[in-house]
Amino acid sequence: MKKFMVGTLSAFLAISLVACSNSASKEESGYSIQKVKVKITDDPALIGEIGIEDSKGKMVDVKPKALYYEFKMKQQGEHKFYQNDKDEIEAKIIPNEDLKKASIDIIGVNVFVEGRDRFGKGMGIEEFDYMKNGKVDVHYGLGATVKNKEIPMAPSDQKLKKLQKAARHGTLVITRNNKEIGRYDLETLESVKK
């Protein structure tokens, strides 16, 4: 009887572990990227405007330019795991050496480094629909379109086109509650290991 109980308990534990690991892997299965668009833009509907104090102390809105990434994504696991992602996921670009060099050569700094106060970063998430499709965008400030005291002027459109050409030389990283759940090669859109 004792052997039967131990055998039954062992079988139950094994089934529980398999079930837990299956649900955890489903939860962590993340997303697939269906499509990416990259552009240089100053469209305030996409990247906003920045309030800056002018020489007379009055607040004025300044349009920045930004390197803008738009990702069409699909959730891979069960929908219940993603219900709060609009508030909980973050996205960032990790440039490879080519993109980092292009940023430094053209802008003067690596704009992908977190915490730059003169060059901002933004991110937005469009709600995922019942088909588990949604949109995530990430943008990195490249400078202002008008002269001001706080943000340097953006380089010429011709120079920025060179940056845009190198823009997919890197990796998109998605985190949920500060825990990495996916990395994707920007050129192939395939999932990659850390």
Side-chain angles (χ1 to χ4, degrees), residues 80-190:
K80 66 181 179 180
F81 293 124
Y82 300 97
Q83 287 172 343
N84 298 318
D85 273 1
K86 192 167 192 322
D87 302 318
E88 296 174 359
I89 70 168
E90 293 285 328
K92 69 178 180 179
I93 305 297
I94 298 177
N96 71 5
E97 287 306 313
D98 185 36
L99 179 52
K100 194 187 299 182
K101 183 179 182 327
S103 176
I104 292 167
D105 290 350
I106 294 162
I107 309 301
V109 296
N110 177 2
V111 296
F112 301 96
V113 172
E114 299 282 331
R116 292 225 178 267
D117 37 346
R118 295 178 72 192
F119 297 89
K121 174 200 172 208
M123 192 199 114
I125 301 173
E126 185 180 282
E127 198 90 35
F128 284 83
D129 63 21
Y130 71 98
M131 295 291 290
K132 302 196 284 187
N133 294 313
K135 185 176 82 174
V136 172
D137 64 73
V138 185
H139 63 269
Y140 293 88
L142 305 175
T145 55
V146 294
K147 206 165 190 175
N148 65 85
K149 294 188 296 184
E150 294 183 35
I151 303 172
M153 288 292 289
S156 70
D157 289 343
Q158 188 176 359
K159 285 184 177 177
L160 290 176
K161 280 182 185 173
K162 291 178 184 172
L163 179 63
Q164 185 176 346
K165 281 184 182 175
R168 289 186 63 179
H169 299 175
T171 306
L172 169 68
V173 176
I174 303 283
T175 58
R176 180 187 294 121
N177 294 325
N178 300 315
K179 181 182 176 189
E180 186 174 314
I181 60 168
R183 272 181 188 241
Y184 307 88
D185 184 291
L186 289 175
E187 291 186 89
T188 65
L189 306 184
E190 296 295 320

